[in-house]
């Protein structure tokens, strides 16, 4: 049951082969049996899930229902869920019971998806290994001595371990795609503004975007269909029509123009990962695609640009956590300043503090032009690289991450080394483009992700390109031992 | 750019975050390394480049100024650290 797609499970539900309550119980039992070791969930909402499943079963009997009706999913703990703890992986929000639903939460609930619980994540989505969580690291189901990637590490591990059919994630610099790659699942970061950010706890507002994490492109299309769309509650939501993401999945790739940026295949890329990517590109050649080398000459500026822009926005966004209206408050504050300083000092973990301080510094008097303004300009250069590339090619492909999953504790003490995990994913966020990761041939016995980057609002094209690959290969069906 | 202890203390004050004394040197080292990474931007020629404020160059959308939400005071204050008579309590600010 746990290895079936959303479409397969939906067909089973509609044919009355099993009920949503049975399906939900099946996954809740798997969580109970298997998640102790993985730590992929912060909160399990068993009672609410079973109630939602009962409601879905009643709806299914009427014969009218959405494709997600009765399907068990997991929400990243960055999405506000009414009446449920929404921690964002932080001590700061360990006591935060959200009084409202995020738009993403609400849309999925309305479509009848059954939320099993909230996924562990790097604190405030700041991290690439899920080791900065207040609730402890998540383990990679392929090798529990290794990280699942981050920041949506709990979502990725849970889907890879078949603890849910699908999960939501968010991606500010690679946080959907990199854990999807390291855990061997399919993840999609949509175009900036495609999915509402309302009720999604903000990290860097000009970069954050939510998306689906699933076993296949076909499932991702179904989830994105429900998640995407204009929302008047999000002032940066794009008022663009939402196409039917499933309709074109099988379109031919004959003549598809694929660009391989030479900068994504250089120094730092594990040769075993490179070989897996090359063999995936060969599959596309066989499907009739034309492959050519391209250049994104400002790629080297992406990580430095990001580590000005993202911390600057984070220092501003996280100023709301002041110990006054919600969240953590220190004991016995002497005065208001002491209340702010100790609540924030005790409520935030080290990586969040580092980023708040970098952002505070970059925005402080006398430094604004040298850091923030400069980074906004280099961001333009990075964005222009893609504009030129998409004049020549339909999609860009390369590795999602430079290596396979690394060991727990291996990089956590060296922030700069950790940041370089996102060397291939960050530019996409800076440009606001959609990007995807899908599993290809494993290397070193661990999953490898192929990244596909598309032009603005080309999610349907990305899903089509990914789906055709998954029709030719079975890499996305591999299951970690012990979790089959 | 290298930061020392006093820089870290100053930035932490601006960010209103208390720092553990014993951790300040470690932060100074990490923050200096991150700023070292960022220094690569200096070499980029941006003389004729406009700053990019929005990935899709969209203008900020405005909305009519009307009430769209009901009264949620009780729900919102139910999760507050300290409230009394509908007010959020903080330490005395004015003597």
């Amino acid at each position: 049951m746990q290895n079936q797609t959303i479409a397969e499970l939906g067909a089973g539900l509609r044919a009355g082969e099993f009920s949503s309550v049975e399906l939900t119980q099946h996954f809740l039992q798997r969580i109970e049996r298997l998640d102790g070791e993985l730590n992929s969930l912060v909160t399990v909402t068993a009672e609410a899930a079973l109630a939602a499943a009962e409601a879905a079963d009643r709806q299914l009997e009427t014969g009218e229902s959405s494709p997600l009706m009765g399907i068990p999913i997991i929400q990243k703990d960055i999405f506000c869920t009414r009446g449920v703890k929404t921690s964002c992986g932080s001590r700061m929000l360990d006591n935060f019971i959200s009084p409202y639903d995020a738009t993403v939460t609400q849309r999925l609930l309305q479509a009848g998806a059954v939320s099993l619980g909230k996924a562990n994540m790097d604190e405030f989505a700041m991290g690439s290994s899920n080791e900065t969580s207040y609730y402890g690291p998540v383990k990679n189901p392929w090798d529990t001595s290794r990280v699942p990637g981050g920041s949506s590490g709990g979502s990725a591990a849970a889907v890879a371990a078949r603890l849910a059919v699908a999960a939501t994630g968010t991606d500010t610099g690679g946080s959907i795609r990199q854990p999807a790659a390291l855990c061997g699942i399919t993840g999609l970061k949509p175009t900036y503004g495609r999915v509402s950010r309302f009720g999604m706890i903000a990290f860097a507002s000009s970069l954050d975007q939510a998306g689906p994490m699933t076993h296949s492109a076909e499932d991702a299309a179904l989830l994105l269909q429900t998640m995407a769309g204009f929302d008047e509650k999000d002032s940066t939501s794009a008022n663009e029509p939402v196409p039917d993401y499933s309709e074109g999945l099988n379109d031919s790739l004959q003549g598809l123009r694929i660009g391989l940026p030479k900068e994504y295949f250089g120094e730092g890329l594990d040769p075993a990962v490179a070989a897996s990517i090359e063999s995936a590109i060969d599959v596309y050649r066989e499907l009739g695609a034309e492959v050519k080398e391209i250049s994104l000459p400002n790629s080297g500026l992406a990580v430095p640009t990001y580590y000005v822009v993202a911390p600057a926005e984070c220092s501003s966004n996280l100023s709301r956590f002041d110990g006054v209206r919600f969240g953590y408050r220190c004991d016995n504050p002497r005065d208001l300043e002491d209340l702010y300083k100790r609540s924030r000092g005790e409520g935030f973990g080290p990586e969040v503090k580092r980023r708040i301080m970098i952002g505070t510094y970059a925005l402080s008097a006398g430094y604004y032009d040298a850091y923030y303004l400069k980074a906004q300009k280099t961001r333009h250069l990075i964005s222009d690289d893609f504009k030129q590339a998409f004049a020549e090619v339909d999609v860009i492909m390369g590795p999602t991450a430079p290596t396979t999953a690394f060991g727990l504790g291996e990089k956590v003490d060296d922030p700069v080394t950790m940041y370089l995990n996102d060397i291939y994913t960050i530019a996409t966020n800076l440009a606001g483009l959609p990007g995807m990761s899908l599993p290809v041939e494993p290397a070193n016995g661990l999953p490898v992700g192929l990244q596909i980057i598309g032009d603005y609002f080309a999610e349907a094209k990305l899903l089509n390109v990914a789906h055709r690959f998954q029709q030719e290969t079975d890499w996305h069906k591999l299951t970690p031992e012990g979790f089959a | 750019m290298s930061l020392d202890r006093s820089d870290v203390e100053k930035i932490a004050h601006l960010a209103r975050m208390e720092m553990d004394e014993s951790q300040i040197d470690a932060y100074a080292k990490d923050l200096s390394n991150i700023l070292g990474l960022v220094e690569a931007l200096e070499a980029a020629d941006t003389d004729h480049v406009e700053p990019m404020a929005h990935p899709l160059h969209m203008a900020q959308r405005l909305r009519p100024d009307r009430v769209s939400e009901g009264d949620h005071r009780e729900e919102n204050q139910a999760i507050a650290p300290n409230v009394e008579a509908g007010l959020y309590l903080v330490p005395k600010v004015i003597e």
Side-chain angles (χ1 to χ4, degrees):
Chain A
M1 214 178 233
Q2 66 275 4
N3 291 316
Q4 294 185 34
T5 65
I6 293 177
E8 286 164 352
L9 290 170
L13 287 168
R14 275 171 200 80
E17 286 165 27
F18 45 83
S19 67
S20 175
V21 168
E22 286 166 335
L23 190 59
T24 302
Q25 277 166 340
H26 176 75
F27 281 107
L28 286 171
Q29 281 159 9
R30 285 184 66 81
I31 289 169
E32 201 176 311
R33 185 160 59 87
L34 300 166
D35 200 45
E37 188 182 11
L38 294 180
N39 195 30
S40 73
L41 292 169
V42 172
T43 305
V44 180
T45 52
E47 254 179 66
L50 289 168
E54 276 177 32
D57 281 332
R58 284 196 297 276
Q59 187 63 35
L60 283 159
E61 275 173 27
T62 69
E64 272 186 48
S65 62
S66 93
L68 299 184
M69 186 62 66
I71 302 291
I73 62 159
I74 287 169
Q75 295 274 14
K76 185 177 183 181
D77 209 15
I78 198 168
F79 294 101
C80 284
T81 35
R82 190 184 167 93
V84 176
K85 178 166 100 170
T86 300
S87 74
C88 220
S90 182
R91 184 185 192 191
M92 183 60 87
L93 291 175
D94 182 50
N95 62 1
F96 178 64
I97 310 293
S98 175
Y100 69 103
D101 275 330
T103 296
V104 164
T105 308
Q106 196 186 29
R107 280 169 173 261
L108 288 167
L109 278 176
Q110 253 166 15
V114 172
S115 177
L116 302 172
K118 309 290 296 286
N120 201 344
M121 54 181 285
D122 278 301
E123 184 178 7
F124 285 104
M126 299 174 200
S128 306
S129 67
N130 217 114
E131 291 170 293
T132 72
S133 170
Y134 176 59
Y135 303 97
V138 176
K139 316 276 169 58
N140 190 319
W142 291 93
D143 175 349
T144 52
S145 72
R146 294 175 188 275
V147 303
S151 68
S152 311
S155 299
V159 172
R162 274 69 178 165
L163 305 185
V165 186
T168 54
T170 61
D171 190 314
T172 303
S175 282
I176 287 175
R177 292 161 287 159
Q178 184 255 15
L182 269 46
C183 288
I185 66 163
T186 302
L188 168 63
K189 179 206 96 76
T191 306
Y192 179 76
R194 177 73 295 183
V195 174
S196 170
R197 294 189 298 110
F198 178 77
M200 186 178 114
I201 296 168
F203 158 18
S205 302
S206 78
L207 304 165
D208 296 344
Q209 186 55 202
M213 302 180 76
T214 57
H215 290 302
S216 66
E218 193 185 12
D219 281 0
L222 291 173
L223 216 59
L224 183 63
Q225 198 73 51
T226 298
M227 294 171 77
F230 177 66
D231 179 14
E232 63 174 19
K233 289 177 175 168
D234 171 5
S235 67
T236 60
S237 172
N239 199 350
E240 293 280 329
V242 178
D244 184 334
Y245 291 119
S246 299
E247 201 176 58
L249 285 176
N250 286 305
D251 287 357
S252 164
L253 301 186
Q254 193 66 44
L256 179 82
R257 297 170 303 166
I258 298 174
L260 306 181
K262 61 176 190 225
E263 293 81 4
Y264 287 21
F265 291 87
E267 204 186 325
L269 177 61
D270 179 338
V273 171
S276 293
I277 298 299
E278 296 290 353
S279 70
I281 304 291
D282 283 340
V283 173
Y284 282 105
R285 285 196 180 93
E286 284 161 28
L287 285 166
E290 296 162 16
V291 180
K292 64 186 274 190
E293 188 184 272
I294 59 165
S295 177
L296 300 170
N298 292 295
S299 293
L301 297 173
V303 172
T305 300
Y306 180 88
Y307 279 97
V308 175
V309 173
E313 294 183 12
C314 126
S315 73
S316 169
N317 270 323
L318 271 61
S319 65
R320 76 191 58 182
F321 299 104
D322 58 5
V324 175
R325 288 154 302 143
F326 61 94
Y328 179 81
R329 176 184 282 202
C330 66
D331 287 335
N332 305 315
R334 288 187 307 276
D335 52 33
L336 196 58
E337 184 164 302
D338 184 48
L339 167 72
Y340 293 151
K341 284 189 169 176
R342 281 199 293 127
S343 297
R344 290 166 64 76
E346 293 165 17
F348 293 136
E351 180 59 18
V352 172
K353 283 185 190 152
R354 281 193 283 269
R355 298 209 195 181
I356 288 175
M357 285 199 280
I358 288 290
T360 302
Y361 177 72
L363 293 175
S364 63
Y367 294 101
Y368 180 88
D369 284 4
Y371 288 104
Y372 193 69
L373 193 67
K374 181 78 182 182
Q376 293 287 68
K377 289 179 177 176
T378 50
R379 184 176 183 179
H380 214 148
L381 294 174
I382 291 159
S383 178
D384 284 347
D385 280 357
F386 283 106
K387 197 177 283 178
Q388 278 169 23
F390 284 121
E392 294 178 54
V393 298
D394 301 310
V395 293
I396 294 170
M397 288 189 186
T400 304
T403 64
T404 49
F406 47 93
L408 286 155
E410 198 179 298
K411 298 183 180 180
V412 74
D413 293 328
D414 182 358
V416 169
T417 303
M418 185 70 88
Y419 296 170
L420 295 175
N421 279 298
D422 297 329
I423 192 162
Y424 305 132
T425 47
I426 271 178
T428 316
N429 298 78
L430 291 168
L433 292 163
M436 225 179 147
S437 180
L438 65 156
V440 297
E441 186 176 358
N444 319 321
L446 292 163
V448 173
L450 170 73
Q451 183 175 216
I452 315 174
I453 303 167
D455 209 344
Y456 296 107
F457 299 104
E459 287 81 5
K461 172 58 74 184
L462 293 185
L463 289 162
N464 164 223
V465 170
H467 179 68
R468 288 304 304 253
F469 181 85
Q470 293 182 335
Q471 296 298 102
E472 300 296 316
T473 61
D474 280 332
W475 306 122
H476 62 294
K477 292 182 180 161
L478 293 178
T479 311
E481 208 177 312
F483 298 92
Chain B
M1 187 70 199
S2 185
L3 300 180
D4 60 24
R5 279 183 77 89
S6 71
D7 294 322
V8 173
E9 283 165 356
K10 188 176 153 222
I11 299 166
H13 170 69
L14 286 174
R16 298 297 184 270
M17 285 193 301
E18 184 165 273
M19 303 299 288
D20 188 334
E21 277 293 316
S22 66
Q23 297 287 316
I24 292 178
D25 287 334
Y27 278 100
K29 175 175 155 272
D30 287 340
L31 298 182
S32 298
N33 287 342
I34 297 167
L35 291 174
L37 172 80
V38 164
E39 258 167 35
L41 297 181
E42 284 170 23
D45 179 4
T46 53
D47 283 353
H48 304 286
V49 182
E50 287 292 311
M52 180 169 156
H54 188 290
L56 299 174
H57 309 291
M58 277 182 187
Q60 183 74 36
R61 187 162 47 79
L62 299 176
R63 61 172 173 80
D65 185 15
R66 58 177 165 78
V67 177
S68 59
E69 285 289 318
D71 177 9
H72 297 298
R73 187 169 77 172
E74 278 186 27
E75 290 151 89
N76 291 342
Q77 292 202 331
I79 52 168
N82 200 353
V83 288
E84 195 179 298
L87 304 171
Y88 292 94
L89 296 191
V90 295
K92 198 183 261 183
V93 178
I94 302 166
E95 293 297 330

